[in-house]
Amino acid sequence: MRNIAVFASGNGSNFQAIIDVIQMGELDANISLLVCDRPGVYAIERAKKSGIPSFVFNPKEYSSKEDYEKDITTELKSLGVEFVVLAGYMRLIGPTLLNEYEGKIVNIHPSLLPDFPGKDAIGQALRSGVKVSGVTIHFVDAGMDTGPIIVQERVRIEDNETIESLQKKIHAVEHKLYPSILQMLLVQGDVLYGNKARTY
Ligand code: GAR
């Protein structure tokens, strides 16, 4: 069974969806650690309730990204973490973590990338007037939401759509799609990373 770490910065509903499918026996993985960059957010409570250890840090208490990523990497290595799942982690991954886990970090983003990268993707989509947005799951590279795409699912935007209603529809897609893609990556094995076939 693969040891994974989930990184989250907020509510953690995607983290919860992953916990739930593991508990239901539908994803053969073990969440060894929650990594969280915002003390006090609800994702930390979710970890506690499920008995998952957390590494919670305040980036302002470190002099550089390299410093806190070194601490994170030490934690991940000591727990034998093989794969990193970003679930609402609102920070760029730096070279320290990327060098250790290149090709083994995935992210979920609430738009059809390359459209609407970065923060507030749902608000960006609504304000732009597009009629379709969606969800992207992709490998992480050094850019902002730029790594190789694994899967995308569309979500229709209705005329009377609000941020809240669109967020609800996007979350519903995310909570199903992320666990199933993790199962594909971690358990079934072969995927394409960039142009290279790779076995996980
Ligand atoms: C999710 O919608 C995720 O796609 C988004 O943050 C939300 C976290 O929700 N991620 C990004 O915008 C990354 N650029 P959650 O904390 O309830 O899982």
Side-chain angles (χ1 to χ4, degrees), residues 29-115:
N30 171 51
I31 306 177
S32 305
L33 191 68
L34 168 73
V35 173
C36 179
D37 61 336
R38 287 182 60 203
V41 298
Y42 192 55
I44 300 163
E45 280 307 306
R46 295 183 192 272
K48 272 189 200 143
K49 282 183 189 158
S50 297
I52 297 168
S54 340
F55 177 78
V56 183
F57 68 101
N58 183 350
K60 288 184 187 143
E61 289 169 4
Y62 287 84
S63 53
S64 67
K65 184 187 280 276
E66 186 184 349
D67 277 359
Y68 68 72
E69 287 200 345
K70 270 186 185 157
D71 276 5
I72 295 172
T73 305
T74 304
E75 287 287 326
L76 299 180
K77 291 282 158 194
S78 75
L79 293 165
V81 169
E82 293 176 70
F83 204 87
V84 170
V85 176
L86 307 186
Y89 182 69
M90 305 307 273
R91 230 163 250 288
L92 282 179
I93 299 294
T96 310
L97 266 168
L98 272 178
N99 289 344
E100 284 293 338
Y101 286 96
E102 194 257 325
K104 293 181 176 178
I105 309 178
V106 287
N107 181 43
I108 191 160
H109 185 78
S111 75
L112 297 175
L113 290 171
D115 291 344

Side-chain angles (χ1 to χ4, degrees), residues 92-165:
L92 282 179
I93 299 294
T96 310
L97 266 168
L98 272 178
N99 289 344
E100 284 293 338
Y101 286 96
E102 194 257 325
K104 293 181 176 178
I105 309 178
V106 287
N107 181 43
I108 191 160
H109 185 78
S111 75
L112 297 175
L113 290 171
D115 291 344
F116 315 123
K119 288 188 179 157
D120 190 24
I122 293 175
Q124 291 184 56
L126 267 186
R127 289 189 292 276
S128 80
V130 292
K131 292 292 162 208
V132 175
S133 189
V135 173
T136 302
I137 295 172
H138 64 97
F139 288 107
V140 170
D141 63 12
M144 167 94 73
D145 302 318
T146 50
I149 289 172
I150 301 165
V151 70
Q152 295 188 300
E153 189 166 325
R154 291 162 168 238
V155 172
R156 189 191 301 275
I157 299 180
E158 305 296 344
D159 290 342
N160 59 351
E161 204 77 69
T162 62
I163 298 252
E164 291 73 26
S165 65

Side-chain angles (χ1 to χ4, degrees), residues 10-15 87-90 107-110 118 121-122 145 170-171 174-175:
N11 177 39
S13 69
N14 279 284
F15 174 41
Y89 182 69
M90 305 307 273
N107 181 43
I108 191 160
H109 185 78
I122 293 175
D145 302 318
I170 284 192
H171 267 141
E174 290 185 336
H175 297 165

